[in-house]
C-alpha cells in the first residue's frame, strides 16, 4: 500500500487514516489484513468447538475410555469378534479425526497470537517513538523498563488473552453439553458440583490475593536486574578504566537480591495455593463416585455409568473452577495488564500534551518565507527576510520543577551569523539548545525558525525515521507550529556524544535522513513477509522533499572532508558492520557525525560541544568545512578557540532564584574581544 494519493484535506485515501484526536498517522491492519485476522480467529473458534464436540462424542458414544470398557468387556466375554472389531474401528476412526483437529487448533491459536503480538508491537513502537515520548520517559524516569513492556509484556498479554478467550468459550460449550449428561444421571450430583466449585473459588481467591502485586513487582525487579547487565555491556570500557567491577558486582547483586526476595514471597504464596488446588483436584475422582455409589449398589446403574458421571463431573467442575485452576496464571496476567495499562496511559498523555494549547509553554514556530505577504512587486523576497534564520522572542527556559535557567531571552540570528553560547556549567546552555530542538517545552516564549525557503530551490530535509505526519497548526501567514520532525525543516542537531546506529558504515553516514533507504537495501533485498503492516511505508510527501540520496562516491568524499578516509582501509568497505560506538574513538565518532551533517546540508545546525573530543587542528578544519558548505551554526562550548569561528557570543550566567532580571548578555566577537580573551 503506497501513499501516492492524497485528498484535499491532507488525508490519505488508502488504508491509513489520520486520527484527529491523536494527530498521528495510525497503521491499523488494513482491510485485507483485518479480514484475514478475523477469518483466522473464526477458524480458531471453530476448531475449539470441534474439539469440544469430539470430547462429547468420546464420552457419550465412542471412545470416552469409560463406557467402551463395558463394550470391550462384554465383547470379550461373549466372544463376538464382529462387535469387537467394529468397536475397535470406532476408536481408530475417532483418533484419526480428533488428533489432527487438536493439533491444528493449537497451531492456529499460536499463529493468531503471534500475529496479534506483531500488530500490537508495531502499534506501541509507533506511539513510543512518536512525539519524543521515549525521550520524556527516559529523561524524567516516569516508568521503569519500557523495553521490557514492549517485548515481554506484549508477548505474554497476547498469548494469555487469546488462551483465556478460548478457554472461556470451551468452558461455556462444555457446561452446556455435559450438564445435560450429568443431570440425567443423578440431579443431586449437579447440586454437589455447584456448591463444591463455589467454595473452592472463594478459598483460592483468598489464598492468591497477593499474587497480582507480587507478580507485578517480580516483572519490575527482573527487568531492573536485566537492565543493569545491559548497562555493564554498554559501558564496558568506562567500567574497565575505572576498575569498577566490584562496585558493579555489588549493584547487580543488590538488584538480584531484591528479585530473589520477591520471588521467595511469590513461591510461598504459590505453594499455599498449590496445596489447596491439588487436594481440590484429587477429590474430583472420589466425590462423584461417593454420591452415585448408592444407585450402583441398588442395581439401578452399571459401573460404566459411574465412570461416565465421573468424567462429566470433572469436565463441568473444570468449567466452574477456572479461577481455582488458573489463579496463578490469572494473577500474572493481571500484573501484565497493569504494566501495559500504565504504559498505555503514559503514551496517551504524551499525545495529549502534544496537542495542548500552543500558547502554553515554549512555542516552536516554523515560518514558510515563501508564503509571507511582504514580497516585492517583482515577486522577490526582501533581503532581510532571506537573511533571518532564527527569531527568539521573550524566551524563558525552565526545568520541569519550575526553576528558571534562561530568563526573557530575545535575539535574532541571521544567515552566516554564527552564534557561540557560553557560560558556567549548569547555567542552561544545553537546555537552550534542547528548547530550540523541541526537547524542552517548560517555560514560555517563542522560537521562530525561517528555514523552509531554500535559495537553491532544493526541497527541505526530512529524516522520516518514524512514518508520522507533522503535527501543525497553520496560521494566516503560513506559520507551522510544533513540527514533530526537526530535520524536515532544515535544522540539524549534533549532541556531544554522537549516536551510532546498529548497522554498516554506510548506514552511519546516511542516518537519519536516508536511514530507511539504507536499511531496506543493506542486504540488497527488500523486506517481505505475510504481515505488511510490519513494513514501514515511506511517506511519499516527505520523500519528495528529501535531497537526492548520496552516492558511494559522495560518502567516500565526505569521509575525506572530515579526515576519516583512513577508516575505509581499517574496516574494508562501507558495508561492513561493527559495534561502532566501541570500534571508533569519541573523536572519530564526532567527525562521523559531522560527515552526516555535511551530507544533509541543512541551513542551520545546533552544536552542543560537538567538537569536545577533537584536537584544535581538526576542530578548525571541521568548522571550515561547515562554513564552506554555507551552513549557519549555533555552538555551545567552553573552549576559547571556538571564538575564532563565531561572530556573536551569547553569555548566560547562573540565574538567581530571587531575581527576575535577564541572566544573559550578547556581544559581537571581534579582534578586541579575542585580544581580551
Amino acid at each position: 500500500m503506497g501513499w501516492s494519493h492524497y485528498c484535499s484535506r491532507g488525508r490519505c485515501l488508502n488504508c491509513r487514516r489520520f486520527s484527529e484526536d491523536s494527530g498521528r498517522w495510525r497503521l491499523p491492519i488494513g482491510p485485507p489484513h483485518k479480514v484475514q485476522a478475523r477469518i483466522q480467529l473464526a477458524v480458531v473458534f471453530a476448531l475449539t468447538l470441534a474439539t469440544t464436540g469430539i470430547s462429547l462424542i468420546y464420552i457419550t458414544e465412542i471412545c470416552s475410555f469409560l463406557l467402551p470398557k463395558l463394550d470391550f468387556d462384554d465383547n470379550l466375554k461373549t466372544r463376538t469378534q464382529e462387535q469387537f472389531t467394529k468397536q475397535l474401528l470406532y476408536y481408530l476412526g475417532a483418533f484419526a479425526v480428533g488428533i489432527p483437529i487438536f493439533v491444528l487448533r493449537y497451531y492456529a491459536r499460536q499463529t493468531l497470537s503471534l500475529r496479534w503480538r506483531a500488530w500490537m508491537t508495531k502499534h506501541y513502537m509507533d506511539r513510543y517513538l512518536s512525539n519524543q515520548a521515549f525521550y520524556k520517559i527516559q529523561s524524567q524516569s516516569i516508568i521503569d523498563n519500557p523495553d521490557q513492556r514492549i517485548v515481554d509484556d506484549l508477548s505474554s498479554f497476547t498469548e494469555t488473552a487469546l488462551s483465556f478467550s478460548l478457554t472461556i468459550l470451551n468452558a461455556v460449550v462444555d457446561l452446556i453439553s455435559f450438564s445435560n449428561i450429568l443431570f440425567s444421571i443423578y440431579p443431586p450430583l449437579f447440586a454437589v458440583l455447584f456448591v463444591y466449585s463455589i467454595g473452592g473459588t472463594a478459598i483460592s481467591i483468598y489464598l492468591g490475593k497477593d499474587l497480582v502485586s507480587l507478580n507485578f513487582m517480580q516483572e519490575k525487579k527482573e527487568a531492573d536486574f536485566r537492565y543493569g547487565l545491559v548497562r555493564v555491556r554498554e559501558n564496558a570500557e568506562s567500567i574497565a578504566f575505572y576498575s569498577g567491577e566490584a562496585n558493579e558486582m555489588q549493584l547487580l547483586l543488590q538488584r538480584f537480591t531484591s528479585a530473589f526476595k520477591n520471588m521467595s514471597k511469590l513461591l510461598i504464596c504459590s505453594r499455599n495455593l498449590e496445596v489447596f488446588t491439588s487436594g481440590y483436584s484429587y477429590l474430583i475422582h472420589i466425590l462423584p463416585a461417593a454420591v452415585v455409589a448408592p444407585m450402583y449398589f441398588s442395581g439401578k446403574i452399571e459401573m460404566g455409568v459411574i465412570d461416565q458421571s465421573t468424567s462429566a463431573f470433572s469436565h463441568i467442575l473444570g468449567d466452574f473452577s477456572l479461577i481455582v485452576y488458573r489463579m496463578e496464571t490469572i494473577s500474572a496476567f493481571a500484573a501484565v495488564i497493569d504494566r501495559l495499562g500504565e504504559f498505555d496511559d503514559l503514551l496517551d498523555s504524551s499525545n495529549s500534551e502534544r496537542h495542548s494549547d500552543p500558547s502554553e509553554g515554549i512555542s516552536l514556530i516554523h515560518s514558510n518565507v515563501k508564503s509571507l505577504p511582504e514580497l516585492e512587486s517583482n515577486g522577490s523576497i526582501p533581503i532581510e527576510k532571506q537573511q533571518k534564520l532564527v527569531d527568539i522572542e521573550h524566551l524563558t527556559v525552565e526545568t520541569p520543577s519550575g526553576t528558571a535557567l534562561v530568563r526573557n531571552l530575545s535575539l535574532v540570528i541571521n544567515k552566516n551569523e554564527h552564534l557561540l553560547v557560553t557560560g558556567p556549567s549548569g547555567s542552561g546552555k544545553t537546555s537552550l539548545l534542547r528548547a530550540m530542538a523541541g526537547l524542552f517545552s517548560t517555560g514560555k516564549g517563542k522560537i521562530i525558525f525561517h528555514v523552509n525557503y531554500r535559495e537553491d530551490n532544493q526541497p527541505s530535509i526530512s529524516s522520516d525515521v518514524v512514518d508520522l505526519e507533522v503535527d501543525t497548526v497553520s496560521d494566516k501567514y503560513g506559520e507551522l507550529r510544533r513540527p514533530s520532525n526537526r530535520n524536515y525543516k532544515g535544522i540539524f542537531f549534533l549532541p556531544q556524544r554522537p549516536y551510532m546506529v546498529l548497522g554498516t558504515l554506510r548506514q552511519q553516514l546516511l542516518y537519519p535522513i536516508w536511514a530507511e533507504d539504507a536499511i531496506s537495501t543493506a542486504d540488497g533485498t527488500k523486506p517481505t513477509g505475510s504481515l505488511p503492516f510490519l513494513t514501514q511505508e515511506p511517506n511519499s510527501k516527505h520523500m519528495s522533499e528529501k535531497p537526492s540520496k548520496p552516492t558511494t562516491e559522495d560518502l567516500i568524499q565526505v569521509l575525506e572532508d572530515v579526515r576519516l578516509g583512513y577508516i575505509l582501509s581499517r574496516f574494508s568497505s562501507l558495508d561492513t558492520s561493527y559495534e561502532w560506538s566501541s570500534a571508533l574513538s569519541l573523536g572519530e565518532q564526532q567527525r562521523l557525525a559531522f560527515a552526516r551533517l555535511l551530507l544533509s546540508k541543512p541551513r542551520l545546525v545546533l552544536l552542543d560541544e560537538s567538537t569536545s573530543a577533537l584536537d584544535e587542528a581538526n576542530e578548525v578544519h571541521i568548522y571550515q568545512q561547515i562554513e564552506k558548505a554555507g551552513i549557519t551554526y549555533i555552538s555551545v562550548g567552553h573552549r576559547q578557540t571556538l571564538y575564532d569561528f563565531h561572530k556573536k557570543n551569547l553569555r548566560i550566567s547562573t540565574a538567581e532564584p530571587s531575581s527576575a532580571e535577564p541572566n544573559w548578555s550578547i556581544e559581537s566577537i571581534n579582534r578586541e574581544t579575542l585580544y581580551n580573551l
Side-chain angles (χ1 to χ4, degrees), residues 453-465:
Y453 174 75
R454 297 175 62 88
E455 292 181 344
D456 55 2
N457 292 325
Q458 294 295 323
S460 300
I461 300 170
S462 171
S463 67
D464 209 24
V465 176

Side-chain angles (χ1 to χ4, degrees), residues 406-650:
V406 181
R407 287 200 184 100
N408 199 24
L409 174 63
S410 295
L411 64 88
V412 174
I413 301 172
N414 296 319
K415 181 180 178 181
N416 295 328
E417 194 174 61
H418 312 303
L419 178 69
L420 175 62
V421 183
T422 60
S425 179
S427 59
K429 303 184 300 298
T430 299
S431 297
L432 174 61
L433 289 196
R434 288 172 178 168
M436 297 178 70
L439 304 182
F440 238 73
S441 60
T442 52
K444 59 184 178 180
K446 290 182 180 180
I447 303 175
I448 305 173
F449 295 98
H450 305 272
V451 290
N452 278 5
Y453 174 75
R454 297 175 62 88
E455 292 181 344
D456 55 2
N457 292 325
Q458 294 295 323
S460 300
I461 300 170
S462 171
S463 67
D464 209 24
V465 176
V466 181
D467 196 6
L468 301 172
E469 176 65 8
V470 176
D471 175 32
T472 63
V473 179
S474 300
D475 63 17
K476 62 181 180 180
Y477 297 110
E479 295 179 343
L480 305 175
R481 294 182 181 271
R482 295 192 182 185
S484 63
N485 197 322
R486 183 173 57 253
N487 293 332
Y488 162 64
K489 297 300 179 184
I491 308 165
F492 213 91
F493 181 82
L494 285 188
Q496 182 178 12
R497 181 82 183 189
Y499 173 61
M500 297 287 104
V501 300
L502 300 175
T504 65
L505 182 58
R506 184 187 302 274
Q507 288 172 250
Q508 301 297 328
L509 292 168
L510 295 178
Y511 182 85
I513 309 303
W514 306 275
E516 73 283 359
D517 299 332
I519 293 172
S520 62
T521 59
D523 57 357
T525 60
K526 292 185 177 180
T528 58
S530 59
L531 301 177
F533 56 82
L534 288 182
T535 302
Q536 189 72 25
E537 296 287 347
N539 186 332
S540 62
K541 179 180 178 181
H542 289 177
M543 286 281 287
S544 64
E545 295 167 339
K546 285 186 180 182
S548 58
K549 183 179 176 181
T551 63
T552 299
E553 290 73 19
D554 295 332
L555 300 182
I556 295 175
Q557 181 58 49
V558 79
L559 287 175
E560 295 289 346
D561 291 341
V562 297
R563 296 180 176 177
L564 280 178
Y566 62 88
I567 68 173
L568 287 177
S569 60
R570 191 200 303 179
F571 299 111
S572 302
S573 72
L574 289 170
D575 297 312
T576 304
S577 295
Y578 278 92
E579 181 62 44
W580 297 103
S581 58
S582 301
L584 300 177
S585 68
L586 181 57
E588 289 173 327
Q589 293 177 42
Q590 288 188 343
R591 279 182 281 166
L592 189 61
F594 279 105
R596 295 173 181 168
L597 168 65
L598 295 175
L599 288 170
S600 301
K601 299 178 182 178
R603 297 193 69 197
L604 177 67
V605 60
L606 310 177
L607 306 174
D608 183 14
E609 300 189 58
S610 303
T611 59
S612 60
L614 300 182
D615 58 90
E616 292 185 5
N618 274 313
E619 183 180 63
V620 171
H621 178 74
I622 289 295
Y623 270 102
Q624 288 174 345
Q625 291 294 321
I626 301 175
E627 191 159 13
K628 181 181 176 181
I631 301 172
T632 303
Y633 48 84
I634 301 174
S635 303
V636 166
H638 298 280
R639 288 182 177 179
Q640 292 186 0
T641 54
L642 293 175
Y643 284 84
D644 294 331
F645 318 120
H646 298 79
K647 296 183 178 180
K648 285 187 177 182
N649 176 212
L650 172 63

Side-chain angles (χ1 to χ4, degrees), residues 198-215 265-280 323-328 331:
I198 294 296
T201 300
I203 296 174
S204 63
I205 291 176
Y206 173 77
L207 293 176
K209 63 181 184 298
D210 295 329
L211 282 175
V212 175
S213 59
L214 289 173
N215 275 290
K265 295 179 182 178
L266 183 61
L267 289 176
I268 292 173
C269 190
S270 300
R271 177 202 63 192
N272 297 337
L273 183 63
E274 183 67 22
V275 169
F276 170 73
T277 54
S278 297
Y280 183 88
I323 296 179
V324 177
Y325 293 136
R326 293 179 174 263
M327 187 63 193
E328 291 188 53
S331 61

Side-chain angles (χ1 to χ4, degrees), residues 77-205:
K77 290 177 182 178
T78 58
R79 298 183 180 181
T80 54
Q81 184 177 358
E82 181 180 354
Q83 291 295 328
F84 178 81
T85 303
K86 182 179 179 181
Q87 193 69 38
L88 184 61
L89 291 176
Y90 281 158
Y91 271 110
L92 296 176
F95 282 131
V97 174
I99 291 176
I101 291 178
F102 276 87
V103 173
L104 285 176
R105 182 191 70 161
Y106 176 79
Y107 173 76
R109 190 188 77 183
Q110 295 298 106
T111 303
L112 182 60
S113 173
L114 181 62
R115 183 191 183 98
W116 189 13
R117 178 194 174 187
W119 181 85
M120 288 195 71
T121 299
K122 176 65 170 64
H123 176 66
Y124 271 85
M125 287 195 303
D126 180 19
R127 298 165 65 198
Y128 179 58
L129 294 175
S130 67
N131 193 33
Q132 298 164 341
F134 64 95
Y135 173 78
K136 297 174 184 176
I137 291 173
Q138 179 65 23
S139 61
Q140 300 176 23
S141 300
I142 303 176
I143 61 171
D144 63 278
N145 306 293
D147 51 322
Q148 188 253 4
R149 299 176 193 238
I150 293 176
V151 177
D152 295 337
D153 290 346
L154 280 181
S155 176
S156 177
F157 171 79
T158 53
E159 185 173 351
T160 309
L162 186 59
S163 175
F164 277 169
S165 300
L166 297 178
T167 299
I168 293 173
L169 173 66
N170 191 67
V172 171
V173 176
D174 260 2
L175 194 61
I176 296 174
S177 303
F178 291 103
S179 294
N180 183 48
I181 297 175
L182 190 63
F183 195 82
S184 63
I185 296 174
Y186 192 46
L189 184 60
F190 190 84
V192 171
L193 179 149
F194 185 78
V195 173
Y196 186 70
S197 61
I198 294 296
T201 300
I203 296 174
S204 63
I205 291 176

